[in-house]
Amino acid sequence: MRVPRLVGLMAMDARRTAEDTGLFLNAPDRPDFHQTVVEYVVRQYPQPNAEVPRDSVIYVWFDFGEGDGGGGVREPRLPRPPGGGLQRELNEPGGNDPYAFVSSA
């Protein structure tokens, strides 16, 4: 049997989908998983469409782990922060700056 895609489903819908396909769910990050209703699944293992025997356990998570996901808002926010702030100190002309422009003329 193939594992259904559970990511993006609410907890109650994920449980119902798993039961309808003959699979069991386990949520390591939710000891009260049986009471979880409206939180969304963000990860699952095994991945969708993986072949597993009937009555297998599928693990689902409702929170991203440390350092995973949560990339924040990617749309531009207005007004933009003011310019200025710290700036790099420039080297004296003719100094040992490896990035200095050298004219070949």
Side-chain angles (χ1 to χ4, degrees):
M1 115 178 330
R2 292 193 180 272
V3 175
R5 179 176 175 82
L6 303 173
V7 173
L9 296 179
M10 286 192 296
M12 62 183 186
D13 295 331
R15 276 194 300 271
R16 186 177 314 126
T17 301
E19 289 170 5
D20 291 347
T21 56
L23 300 170
F24 295 100
L25 289 186
N26 185 351
D29 65 341
R30 289 290 186 274
D32 59 343
F33 176 59
H34 63 283
Q35 296 176 345
T36 306
V37 178
V38 295
E39 292 189 55
Y40 288 89
V41 175
V42 296
R43 280 191 302 170
Q44 77 178 69
Y45 181 82
Q47 297 297 320
N49 296 319
E51 288 287 332
V52 295
R54 186 170 183 80
D55 297 330
S56 292
V57 176
I58 307 301
Y59 295 91
V60 294
W61 290 266
F62 295 95
D63 286 328
F64 287 108
E66 184 76 24
D68 291 336
V73 177
R74 290 180 173 79
E75 64 187 49
R77 294 292 190 167
L78 297 176
R80 292 184 180 265
L86 298 177
Q87 299 199 4
R88 183 174 75 107
E89 182 179 339
L90 300 176
N91 292 337
E92 292 290 328
N96 294 332
D97 185 3
Y99 302 105
F101 177 77
V102 179
S103 175
S104 60

